[in-house]
Each structure stands twice: as C-alpha cells, then as structure tokens.
Amino acid sequence: MVQAIRVNQTGGPEVLSWEQVEIGEPGPGEVRIRHTAIGLNFIDTYFRSGLYPAPEGLPFTPGNEGAGVVLTVGEGVTHVKPGDRVAYVGALGAYAQERIIAGDRLVVVPDGIDDKTAAGMMLKGMTARYLLRQTYNVTSETTLLFHAAAGGVGLIAGQWAKHLGATVIGTVGSAEKAELAKANGYEHVINYREENFVERVKEITDGKGCDVVYDSVGKDTYPGSLDCLRPRGLWVSFGQSSGPITDFNLALLGPKGSLFATRPTLFNHIASREDLEQTAGDLFDVVSRGIVKIGVNQEYRLADAAQAHKDLEGRKTTGTTVLIP
C-alpha cells in the first residue's frame, strides 16, 4: 500500500483526501514508478471541481505530471528500465507516492535537469513549446501578448519568446508579478489592476495590435483579448483560470478584423510517441542550454495538496509549484 490523494466527490480543495491505495504490478506495456516530485497545475483544479470530468469517474487520483524513478517494467517495455529517472505529462493519477503508468508516456530525464525541475516543467514547458512553435510560429517579426505572464506557462513562454526575438508583452495582477515577468523575457508588462490592458497594448504597438494573443485566463480577459489583435490576428484560448467563456460569439471575429480563434490542448500535440519525444526533446534542449530557466517557486508536501490548491486558485503562487511525496 502507498499513500495518495483521492477525490471521492468533486468540489473545493477540501475534497482532496490523503488515503492508502493499492498499486499492484505493471502489466504489458506498463511501468511502476516511485515519484520524487509532482507538478501542480490549474488543470488539476478543473478535475477536482468537476469542470473536467475524470475519465474513470469517481473516485480518482488527480495530477497530470510528475517525475521519479522506474521500479519495475511490464512485458514489452524497452525504452525505460528500472533505475531510470523519468518524467511524464498527461496521465491522470500523479498525486501518489507510486503509480502504474503506460510506458509509452514516459521520457527519460537528461542529466543536468533535477527531478523537481522535470516534474514542474513538463506540462507548462511543453504547453509553451506548442503555443510558440506550432499554434503560432513565433519569430523575430512577431508581436505577442501573453496573459498571466507570471504564471507557470507564462514565465517559460516569456523566456522562450524572447530567445526567438519576438516583441513580448505580458499582463499581470501585481507589482511583484510585474517584476517577475520583466525578469523572464517580457519587454512590456501591464498590471491589469491599474491599467486597461487593451489601451496599453494599442499604445505599445502604435495602434497596430498584436499578431497573436495567448489567453489562459478566460472570462476576465474576453472579449478584450480580441481587441488587442491586428487584422487577421490569432486569439489562442488555452485555459480559463477566471472561469469559462460562456458567450463566445463567432460573429465577433469578422468586424474585429477577420480574426482567427483556436482552443488547443497539449494532449492533442503529444498523442503520438513521436510527437511526445520531439516536444519533450525541444523543451529539454532549451532548459539544458539555459535559454529557459525553470523557477520552482513553491513546494508543498503531497499530503498538503488542499492548501496548494487554495493558494493556486487564490493566485498566491508564481511560476512553478511542486508537491513532494
């Protein structure tokens, strides 16, 4: 038996329960790992609250990313072996001391990247990668706006976009977060509690607007995000930390400049083994070379996951947070 966080009914952070669970041995294609660190992400709160239904129903163990050590492997697993340091994203069940996981979801962590960094960067880092390199191919000619610039994805995206030569604009909710964003690649930072972000974007871009707006906030930044775009610009809605957008009107895209809109997810970008390896490889490369630095700014015991969720939803965290089993 091992300890894990379980959700027996959906709701607030108080539904996260610290329980003993039976793990078993890996079957064909599966691997048993011991977690050394687990990433905390906003999507975890969506599953906990019921906004996103857990695929296996209730009860379930939340968490989508982690890092650890391979204990045993099932039949047919050849790309990892016992003792390997591995990380993964996109497999619900991370909030546990140990777990069984499909072997083809694991990637070996390179030397020079520690477990806490690996655990905290997989979802956020690979999200930043597909946003900047696939959803919109950011170059030195790009002007972009990134909401929640001091968040986990935002801090990685700011550094990466700066490396690509883009003009990088970010929004934050406090002076402290503004300084953090400036230190992580953002040339222009807008405190939305003190300034109108649409008006400031227009000023910064001399009225032209941005090529692309990356929006993980949702309700609070819509439809303002659309007004920050140049004609035929792209609005990328990839999260909803302030609440879902319930009144999206497709007809708005025409009069606002024949805009494009998309709602991508990481999991569609790493569904195949080839795509997973390429995406993870690009992330490991920029981190290993020091182009992107992953700041693990908060640590909680796994048993204290409820407090971690409260702090995350209360916007009291910055950058990357990990849970330690």
Side-chain angles (χ1 to χ4, degrees), residues 41-53 127 130 146-148 153 214-222 225 235-248 262-265 312-313 315:
N41 296 283
F42 234 100
I43 194 173
D44 301 349
T45 72
Y46 299 161
F47 282 108
R48 185 212 70 220
S49 70
L51 180 63
Y52 289 1
T127 296
Y130 86 73
F146 210 104
H147 288 300
V153 179
Y214 295 107
D215 190 343
S216 64
V217 177
K219 182 177 67 173
D220 289 354
T221 48
Y222 176 82
S225 289
W235 175 53
V236 184
S237 173
F238 69 101
Q240 49 193 28
S241 61
S242 69
I245 297 169
T246 58
D247 58 349
F248 175 67
T262 185
R263 181 60 169 89
T265 69
L312 180 66
E313 291 178 299
R315 303 191 182 186

Side-chain angles (χ1 to χ4, degrees), residues 34-287:
R34 174 178 56 81
H35 282 127
T36 51
I38 298 152
L40 176 73
N41 296 283
F42 234 100
I43 194 173
D44 301 349
T45 72
Y46 299 161
F47 282 108
R48 185 212 70 220
S49 70
L51 180 63
Y52 289 1
E56 70 269 32
L58 293 169
F60 68 92
T61 297
N64 282 274
E65 69 175 346
V69 179
V70 174
L71 297 178
T72 54
V73 302
E75 181 184 353
V77 175
T78 59
H79 63 279
V80 295
K81 63 184 184 303
D84 281 349
R85 294 172 57 239
V86 294
Y88 67 89
V89 67
L92 202 65
Y95 284 19
Q97 293 173 328
E98 298 179 14
R99 71 169 300 178
I100 302 292
I101 187 171
D104 66 359
R105 294 291 88 192
L106 295 172
V107 292
V108 176
V109 178
D111 293 339
I113 297 178
D114 64 72
D115 289 4
K116 292 178 183 178
T117 300
M121 78 178 187
M122 295 298 288
L123 190 148
K124 302 175 188 71
M126 291 202 287
T127 296
R129 189 267 186 188
Y130 86 73
L131 290 173
L132 300 177
R133 308 308 289 149
Q134 291 180 282
T135 305
Y136 188 96
N137 187 31
V138 172
T139 70
S140 60
E141 303 298 316
T142 303
T143 298
L144 66 87
L145 172 65
F146 210 104
H147 288 300
V153 179
L155 294 180
I156 296 171
Q159 297 174 71
W160 208 328
K162 180 182 179 180
H163 171 71
L164 295 170
T167 298
V168 192
I169 308 169
T171 67
V172 297
S174 70
E176 178 188 10
K177 289 184 176 181
E179 290 304 312
L180 187 60
K182 288 176 184 176
N184 284 272
Y186 288 88
E187 183 178 350
H188 306 279
V189 181
I190 303 165
N191 185 338
Y192 63 81
R193 298 189 190 278
E194 299 177 353
E195 301 177 285
N196 182 301
F197 72 83
V198 176
E199 293 177 359
R200 280 291 292 131
V201 166
K202 294 295 186 184
E203 291 175 7
I204 292 166
T205 63
D206 294 324
K208 297 176 183 178
C210 298
D211 299 292
V212 57
V213 172
Y214 295 107
D215 190 343
S216 64
V217 177
K219 182 177 67 173
D220 289 354
T221 48
Y222 176 82
S225 289
L226 302 180
D227 296 318
C228 294
L229 287 164
R230 63 161 173 79
R232 300 189 303 279
L234 174 64
W235 175 53
V236 184
S237 173
F238 69 101
Q240 49 193 28
S241 61
S242 69
I245 297 169
T246 58
D247 58 349
F248 175 67
N249 182 358
L250 188 65
L252 277 179
L253 301 180
K256 288 185 179 291
S258 296
L259 304 177
F260 294 87
T262 185
R263 181 60 169 89
T265 69
L266 171 61
F267 308 121
N268 289 328
H269 289 78
I270 58 171
S272 72
R273 180 69 194 177
E274 180 182 3
D275 287 341
L276 172 63
E277 290 182 345
Q278 182 176 9
T279 301
D282 286 351
L283 175 61
F284 289 150
D285 176 62
V286 294
V287 172

Side-chain angles (χ1 to χ4, degrees), residues 5-43:
I5 294 289
R6 298 288 280 170
V7 176
N8 296 292
Q9 61 180 19
T10 56
E14 69 279 357
V15 305
L16 298 174
S17 176
W18 184 236
E19 301 177 7
Q20 282 196 329
V21 296
E22 185 65 52
I23 297 297
E25 294 302 315
E30 293 181 334
V31 175
R32 179 166 176 162
I33 64 172
R34 174 178 56 81
H35 282 127
T36 51
I38 298 152
L40 176 73
N41 296 283
F42 234 100
I43 194 173

